[in-house]
């Protein structure tokens, strides 16, 4: 069974290069990375607002919007959800504090 996020990602990928007059997703791709990234930011803020002041229903709706726009950003950047799942698996069993500290060391040393 295909996970709903993987299925949605496939639909998004299939809409790349489509008619921007017929597809919101195609329109986002046509407008480019800055527009897509801005939409992710807008949806993230709306999700946070609903988490603090909204209902479960509105938080659910905003979360869906955020995930959709994030998937568009991944597709735009050439990232497949499987890449993200692999990264999450790699981090499994590692303390979030330890993982974050490891990223800080890499950033200051200039090594990946």
């Amino acid at each position: 069974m295909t996970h709903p996020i993987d299925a949605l990602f496939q639909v998004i990928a299939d809409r790349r290069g489509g008619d921007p007059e017929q597809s919101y997703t195609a329109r986002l791709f046509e407008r480019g990375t800055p527009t897509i990234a801005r939409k992710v930011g807008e949806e993230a803020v709306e999700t946070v607002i609903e988490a603090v002041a909204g209902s479960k229903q509105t938080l659910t709706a905003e979360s869906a919007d955020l995930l959709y726009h994030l998937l568009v950003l991944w597709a735009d950047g050439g990232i497949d959800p499987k890449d993200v799942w692999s990264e999450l698996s790699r981090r499994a069993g590692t303390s979030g504090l330890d993982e974050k500290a490891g990223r800080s060391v890499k950033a200051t040393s200039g090594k990946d």
Side-chain angles (χ1 to χ4, degrees):
M1 178 179 231
T2 302
H3 191 280
I5 289 179
D6 294 319
L8 177 56
F9 183 81
Q10 188 58 56
V11 169
I12 289 167
D14 290 346
R15 301 262 166 92
R16 180 179 226 141
D19 182 356
E21 295 299 319
Q22 300 295 317
S23 167
Y24 174 71
T25 304
R27 187 177 309 156
L28 285 171
F29 283 127
E30 180 183 66
R31 292 182 178 169
T33 304
T35 296
I36 297 166
R38 195 167 28 258
K39 285 300 297 178
V40 171
E42 290 171 12
E43 296 301 339
V45 169
E46 291 172 6
T47 301
V48 169
I49 290 168
E50 293 305 327
V52 173
S55 68
K56 183 177 178 181
Q57 181 178 0
T58 56
L59 176 57
T60 299
E62 290 300 339
S63 296
D65 290 347
L66 175 58
L67 286 171
Y68 161 78
H69 286 91
L70 182 60
L71 290 172
V72 174
L73 186 64
W74 289 356
D76 182 64
I79 297 171
D80 189 284
K82 291 176 185 72
D83 300 329
V84 178
W85 309 157
S86 292
E87 178 62 13
L88 290 170
S89 292
R90 184 190 67 77
R91 295 179 185 186
T94 302
S95 157
L97 296 174
D98 290 342
E99 195 282 326
K100 186 171 179 133
R103 282 188 279 151
S104 297
V105 169
K106 288 179 188 175
T108 58
S109 71
K111 297 180 181 175
D112 289 329

